[in-house]
Amino acid sequence: MAKAKNAPQKPGPKAKPNKPSRLSGNAIAYIIIAALSILIYADTIPNSYNLDDELVTQNHRVTSKGWEVLKPDFSVFSNPVFKDSPVISKLKYFMPEVFRTPYYQDKAGYKYEYRPLVFVSFAIEHAIFSKTTFVQGKEVETDDPHISHIINTLLYALLCLLLFIVLRKMFSAYNILFPLLITLIFTAHPIHTEVVASIKNRDEILSLLCGLSALYLALNFSLRKWYYLFGVFMLLVLGILAKPTTITFALLIPLTVEMFSDIPFLGSMVLTLVLVVPAVFFARLYTVSQQIWLGLFLFAAVVFFHCLKRIKTYLPALQNYFTGLIQSIKLAASPTNELQEESPTPEILKRPLLLLPIIVLLLAISAVSVSGIMGARTVQTVIPLLLLAATYFWGPKWAKALVISPINLICLAAIIKFDNNFTVVELGLIVFLSTMFITGDKLQRRIVIGNYLAYAIVALFIKHTYSFLTVFLFIGFVEKRVMPVTLIVMLLTAGAFVKRLFGALHGNSLDLTALKFPMIYLFAFLFWRKNYKIAQLTGVLSVLVFVSVSFSVHSFQKGHSAETAFENLSYKLSTTKAVDPTPIQSSVRPLRYMEYPISPDDPFSLKLGTAMSIFGNYLRLVFIPYPMSYYYGYAYIKPVNVTQFVPLLVLIIHIALLGLALWFFNRKPVISYSIFFYLISISAYSNLAIPIPGLMGDRFLLVPSIGFSILATALLYIIFKFDYTNPKTEWNNTSTSFKITLVVILVLYSITAISRNLDWKDRITLFRHDISTVENSAQAQNLLAVHLIVASQDSTDQDARHRLLEESLPHFKKALDVYPDFLNASYDLARAYDALGMADEAYAQYKRTLEIDSTFTNPYF
């Protein structure tokens, strides 16, 4: 019998859900990165304390208190001393002790630097892992260096994982292999051994963790997700509280966001503002003026990157500009003076986001000129004004409209600053604004009216003059409806001229104001005759010439006149100490000659040459990290002039790198970004703005090595002809030669790093190993010799003590050969002679020490 067609069928077995048979690509990548980082630096764990670790551990004055220094001090609110104090003072002392303590402080009260986040880390470590021991019957809590090394290793692994996450976000359109290989090269790079193997250098890891975290949030930021800005701000502040050089991320973050996202100009400016605020206030600058210039530089750099990325959008506008420039020159040479018919509004004026960066750039140019007026610098005043004038006269119509406000701003600054001869600047401004109004289109006239009102307010309320009314003279000769007002103004100006001329005939000097009115009538005559081209030229040149003349006269009379408000403001900004938001008032760390052999009075060519010598060493170490050293200083690095061969060659190389970064900005953005990242991050250690103790250090290449790792990976792809932008380029698709090359690099880097970790076993081991590399470093020789003496004092074996003291002698002598006036080395050499029973040598060396510094009293005792 046949089955029914619609008979119910028995349900079959339920299908089991598909379970992933293997780990995802991200999980595998995380495992590889974590395993490699821990494998490389696991051999640091048996190491002991090393150079400068006492700055953060080993019975430290703050971190050894553990949880106590992390608690707020509530007693401050009941303290009678602070009862009538400002709220800021109360909050300052209410904060935990780690946030009220300088990084370094001695018993004499000297202090410098502010890195509370580092203290927080070591205070927590002490509270959790410290051991209680008994020393001479007293209970003492001691730290364990092996725990510190474990924490450093884990933090470094976390840093490498975070870098991979950020790179995945940046290169989201690429295959996962590309950011993974970048991270592996960074992880294995031997230049990081000082950062991980030195307990004290945890500050480098913490600051980069915060910087990369801020970068990740910034990549997720948009105007709709504005709340990310709070996280970006707080993480950058935390990074700076770990180490101040984190401020380079105030430029690295906008650069990354501009290159790897489609952030609008407004969003870019808002993000930059959030980053500029902590960068300006936490930068180790000396004056408010320097803080202002730093902020302006960061904004200008971001605007530049924004425009550079959209060069194809701006290119048509630039082409129109130069086309209009050529047409304007031809038109100026033609005999006709009639105005052209108004053309439609240019496309650029209809696009606010395209227009805004241009306006910012023009205002920046005018700010340079205003700064020149304030600082009495002629070239800085005139050249920007000349550029704006040329843009107006020879540029297209939309450019004419945009330069009105910047030129007006410069003129108003000159009017406010100049005392007796500001009236000639007024003359130029009146002619300029009148020309703009009469010869402009509807938009241009609206801009002129706004600038005219600003000028009228300045003239009336600050300078107490009525010259702004003479604008109606010019308008009246063209617009007949204004002629009654023109006649009234003519009578008033004529009366003012006669009055001044009468005063001059009776012995008073004829100032420039009296000459202004006949010249105004002359220009008005040109408008009446409709010689618009001549009037336009006259208007622009009058601004340029009259500002320059007034500036020169003011400079000549400066010694005989009182300082103006602008002069006072400029002086205050350049002399007022930089605003410091930290609760401590730290000093600038004094550097001895062997730490920093450059004087503030040395010529810039010497400073630049020395900086290039340092940059050359950094460039070598980031490519070939061998040999490395715990310290460099003088005379491993010597002051050299930039005109010498090596510094000049390094300068040319870095200029070429900058040129390549600009050239590849849109063609190969990854290559461009890697170069920019390296140059920006390494700039903090140039020694040009802020002196660096020891001049250079391996640890300073931690952040720049990210740029190198990106560049190295991209170049490997290019060399072996693989497209790193192709999401289908996987490990299995690459050639055997590519795989072998990459593995060789990682193996060589890893072996070098592991071997270098063994050098960091303890102070003596490290110093002995590296001294051959930095044989000409006075401080490196002295450090080894001093620690040999310390080791001799700790030794109970008399023969061992004697050998250690004898070993220290040649290193002290070498330090003095490199730098004969090395006070500490001379005194300690004398002490070594004394401990060895070499009385005559000790006496002679004590005597030499007093010759170096007669105020140093220790040798007498």
Side-chain angles (χ1 to χ4, degrees):
M1 183 175 176
K3 290 184 178 180
K5 200 172 188 180
N6 296 324
Q9 298 180 1
K10 294 181 180 180
K14 290 184 178 181
K16 295 182 180 180
N18 293 327
K19 295 183 179 180
S21 58
R22 59 180 182 178
L23 294 172
S24 64
N26 279 340
I28 294 174
Y30 294 148
I31 293 172
I32 293 173
I33 294 167
L36 181 64
S37 58
I38 294 174
L39 176 66
I40 291 174
Y41 290 102
D43 63 338
T44 64
I45 295 174
N47 290 352
S48 182
Y49 289 118
N50 217 303
L51 180 64
D52 287 342
D53 286 346
E54 66 276 5
L55 294 176
V56 289
T57 185
Q58 289 182 284
N59 298 318
H60 188 267
R61 68 188 188 282
V62 175
T63 61
S64 60
K65 298 178 184 178
W67 298 120
E68 190 65 28
V69 296
L70 301 176
K71 300 176 182 177
D73 184 9
F74 293 97
S75 64
V76 68
F77 296 103
S78 60
N79 191 330
V81 176
F82 300 101
K83 184 177 180 181
D84 300 323
S85 300
V87 176
I88 298 298
S89 298
K90 291 180 180 179
L91 290 176
K92 169 183 173 181
Y93 290 96
F94 166 74
M95 291 189 300
E97 186 178 349
V98 287
F99 292 99
R100 294 184 277 115
T101 307
Y103 184 66
Y104 174 86
Q105 185 173 9
D106 56 24
K107 295 180 180 179
Y110 180 75
K111 54 187 178 180
Y112 64 79
E113 290 285 1
Y114 183 66
R115 305 180 191 177
L117 191 63
V118 182
F119 285 170
V120 170
S121 167
F122 284 101
I124 293 174
E125 177 186 331
H126 179 87
I128 297 174
F129 298 107
S130 63
K131 298 178 181 179
T132 302
T133 58
F134 289 89
V135 179
Q136 296 180 352
K138 293 183 179 180
E139 189 177 287
V140 178
E141 289 185 347
T142 59
D143 296 314
D144 187 347
H146 311 308
I147 295 294
S148 297
H149 285 299
I150 291 174
I151 293 174
N152 268 24
T153 301
L154 294 177
L155 284 175
Y156 182 73
L158 178 62
L159 174 63
C160 296
L161 290 171
L162 178 59
L163 175 62
F164 174 70
I165 293 171
V166 173
L167 292 173
R168 281 284 285 153
K169 182 68 178 179
M170 288 167 51
F171 305 122
S172 56
Y174 303 175
N175 187 273
I176 189 176
L177 181 64
F178 184 62
L180 175 60
L181 296 184
I182 294 172
T183 307
L184 291 179
I185 290 177
F186 173 86
T187 303
H189 204 298
I191 204 66
H192 302 158
T193 52
E194 180 180 5
V195 172
V196 186
S198 172
I199 295 173
K200 167 258 177 189
N201 286 321
R202 187 181 297 175
D203 55 1
E204 301 282 354
I205 303 177
L206 293 175
S207 66
L208 185 51
L209 278 170
C210 294
L212 289 177
S213 301
L215 175 56
Y216 182 78
L217 289 184
L219 288 168
N220 289 278
F221 159 72
S222 67
L223 291 176
R224 293 182 179 179
K225 299 179 180 179
W226 56 268
Y227 45 85
Y228 278 100
L229 292 175
F230 178 75
V232 173
F233 176 84
M234 292 304 301
L235 285 167
L236 183 64
V237 170
L238 286 175
I240 295 173
L241 295 182
K243 194 166 185 182
T245 49
T246 314
I247 64 169
T248 54
F249 275 88
L251 185 54
L252 291 173
I253 290 174
L255 168 66
T256 308
V257 173
E258 282 289 349
M259 295 197 73
F260 298 103
S261 71
D262 294 323
I263 188 170
F265 182 73
L266 179 60
S268 183
M269 289 294 98
V270 172
L271 175 63
T272 305
L273 177 63
V274 169
L275 296 166
V276 163
V277 171
V280 165
F281 287 111
F282 284 98
R284 290 183 294 175
L285 299 176
Y286 303 109
T287 65
V288 172
S289 178
Q290 291 175 335
Q291 290 183 314
I292 293 173
W293 280 113
L294 174 61
L296 292 176
F297 167 77
L298 291 174
F299 271 109
V302 175
V303 171
F304 173 76
F305 289 136
H306 181 87
C307 296
L308 189 60
K309 182 181 179 182
R310 294 156 181 82
I311 189 67
K312 292 183 179 179
T313 306
Y314 288 106
L315 202 56
L318 291 173
Q319 290 175 342
N320 293 336
Y321 173 83
F322 286 108
T323 302
L325 176 66
I326 295 172
Q327 291 177 351
S328 298
I329 295 174
K330 291 180 178 179
L331 213 64
S334 64
T336 178
N337 282 314
E338 295 297 327
L339 286 174
Q340 294 181 341
E341 294 183 2
E342 290 189 5
S343 57
T345 304
E347 183 67 22
I348 192 172
L349 297 182
K350 298 178 182 179
R351 303 177 64 180
L353 292 181
L354 188 63
L355 189 61
L356 192 56
I358 300 177
I359 295 174
V360 172
L361 178 62
L362 291 173
L363 290 176
I365 293 174
S366 63
V368 174
S369 184
V370 170
S371 176
I373 292 174
M374 293 169 58
R377 292 180 287 271
T378 306
V379 175
Q380 185 178 336
T381 300
V382 175
I383 288 181
L385 185 57
L386 184 61
L387 291 173
L388 294 173
T391 301
Y392 163 75
F393 187 69
W394 287 305
K397 294 197 70 174
W398 62 266
K400 297 180 189 294
L402 293 181
V403 300
I404 294 173
S405 296
I407 291 178
N408 186 63
L409 177 64
I410 295 171
C411 291
L412 293 183
I415 289 171
I416 294 173
K417 179 179 177 65
F418 301 148
D419 294 326
N420 301 323
N421 50 346
F422 67 89
T423 53
V424 293
V425 181
E426 279 192 291
L427 169 61
L429 185 58
I430 289 168
V431 176
F432 175 72
L433 293 176
S434 303
T435 305
M436 299 301 101
F437 185 84
I438 295 170
T439 63
D441 55 17
K442 187 176 181 180
L443 175 64
Q444 190 167 317
R445 289 182 178 182
R446 289 178 179 175
I447 296 175
V448 170
I449 290 173
N451 284 277
Y452 171 72
L453 291 175
Y455 159 58
I457 292 172
V458 170
L460 185 62
F461 294 102
I462 297 180
K463 289 301 183 181
H464 309 292
T465 67
Y466 304 92
S467 300
F468 62 92
L469 295 175
T470 55
V471 169
F472 291 101
L473 277 173
F474 299 90
I475 301 176
F477 280 112
V478 179
E479 298 287 342
K480 303 301 180 184
R481 291 172 294 180
V482 193
M483 185 54 71
V485 179
T486 297
L487 294 175
I488 296 173
V489 173
M490 289 177 65
L491 291 174
L492 292 174
T493 54
F497 173 68
V498 170
K499 179 181 177 182
R500 290 183 178 274
L501 185 61
F502 180 80
L505 294 175
H506 284 76
N508 295 331
S509 60
L510 181 64
D511 61 18
L512 294 171
T513 305
L515 300 175
K516 178 176 64 174
F517 300 112
M519 296 174 71
I520 286 178
Y521 286 112
L522 174 62
F523 294 138
F525 176 77
L526 294 174
F527 281 85
W528 178 59
R529 297 290 297 175
K530 295 186 177 181
N531 291 325
Y532 294 123
K533 285 297 174 184
I534 298 177
Q536 284 180 338
L537 178 61
T538 305
V540 177
L541 290 181
S542 63
V543 170
L544 180 63
V545 173
F546 294 149
V547 169
S548 302
V549 170
S550 300
F551 187 86
S552 302
V553 173
H554 173 79
S555 299
F556 179 75
Q557 296 176 344
K558 186 178 179 182
H560 306 286
S561 61
E563 287 187 332
T564 61
F566 266 19
E567 287 174 323
N568 287 330
L569 178 61
S570 176
Y571 176 77
K572 287 180 180 179
L573 290 177
S574 60
T575 56
T576 302
K577 187 178 179 181
V579 179
D580 184 4
T582 62
I584 66 165
Q585 296 297 318
S586 59
S587 306
V588 178
R589 176 178 176 178
L591 299 177
R592 294 171 291 180
Y593 185 85
M594 56 278 182
E595 294 177 296
Y596 185 73
I598 300 292
S599 166
D601 299 327
D602 286 333
F604 180 75
S605 59
L606 188 69
K607 296 177 182 178
L608 181 61
T610 308
M612 289 304 104
S613 179
I614 294 167
F615 274 14
N617 281 283
Y618 280 138
L619 203 59
R620 174 185 61 81
L621 284 170
V622 79
F623 276 93
I624 306 174
Y626 182 85
M628 295 172 279
S629 176
Y630 64 96
Y631 189 87
Y632 293 95
Y634 177 83
Y636 181 87
I637 302 291
K638 295 180 180 179
V640 289
N641 200 290
V642 74
T643 56
Q644 296 187 23
F645 176 75
V646 173
L648 184 60
L649 177 62
V650 175
L651 177 61
I652 293 172
I653 291 173
H654 281 77
I655 292 175
L657 286 174
L658 180 60
L660 287 173
L662 294 172
W663 177 257
F664 287 130
F665 198 86
N666 291 303
R667 293 174 175 84
K668 292 184 180 296
V670 172
I671 301 293
S672 175
Y673 175 76
S674 65
I675 297 173
F676 269 126
F677 196 100
Y678 175 82
L679 293 177
I680 291 172
S681 55
I682 201 67
S683 63
Y685 305 105
S686 67
N687 287 271
L688 288 175
I690 299 174
I692 304 297
L695 295 168
M696 61 176 289
D698 295 347
R699 62 190 179 279
F700 300 145
L701 282 170
L702 177 66
V703 180
S705 65
I706 296 176
F708 165 78
S709 301
I710 297 173
L711 178 63
T713 307
L715 289 178
L716 283 175
Y717 271 87
I718 293 172
I719 291 171
F720 290 97
K721 299 180 180 179
F722 293 107
D723 184 6
Y724 54 80
T725 64
N726 187 354
K728 297 181 180 180
T729 305
E730 297 182 353
W731 178 254
N732 294 332
N733 298 337
T734 58
S735 63
T736 304
S737 56
F738 175 86
K739 296 174 182 176
I740 292 175
T741 303
L742 182 66
V743 170
V744 168
I745 291 173
L746 292 178
V747 169
L748 287 176
Y749 272 11
S750 300
I751 292 175
T752 305
I754 292 170
S755 174
R756 179 62 178 164
N757 293 335
L758 299 177
D759 299 334
W760 283 85
K761 178 183 177 182
D762 53 49
R763 293 177 175 90
I764 297 294
T765 303
L766 177 66
F767 298 166
R768 279 174 173 164
H769 177 272
D770 289 0
I771 199 63
S772 59
T773 302
V774 286
E775 185 179 0
N776 290 326
S777 171
Q779 181 70 329
Q781 294 282 358
N782 180 64
L783 284 170
L784 173 55
V786 168
H787 283 85
L788 287 170
I789 291 182
V790 173
S792 72
Q793 294 171 346
D794 295 338
S795 176
T796 56
D797 186 337
Q798 190 66 27
D799 292 336
R801 291 184 61 184
H802 190 83
R803 286 195 301 270
L804 289 169
L805 285 170
E806 284 189 330
E807 185 184 352
S808 71
L809 297 182
H811 297 294
F812 278 131
K813 292 177 181 178
K814 181 62 178 179
L816 289 168
D817 287 341
V818 175
Y819 181 49
D821 292 335
F822 198 159
L823 179 67
N824 288 7
S826 178
Y827 176 62
D828 288 332
L829 175 59
R831 291 201 307 154
Y833 281 139
D834 208 347
L836 287 168
M838 304 168 67
D840 293 339
E841 290 84 352
Y843 176 79
Q845 197 61 45
Y846 281 134
K847 189 175 181 182
R848 169 59 187 148
T849 304
L850 291 172
E851 291 174 0
I852 296 174
D853 185 358
S854 59
T855 63
F856 185 55
T857 59
N858 286 20
Y860 289 110
F861 299 99

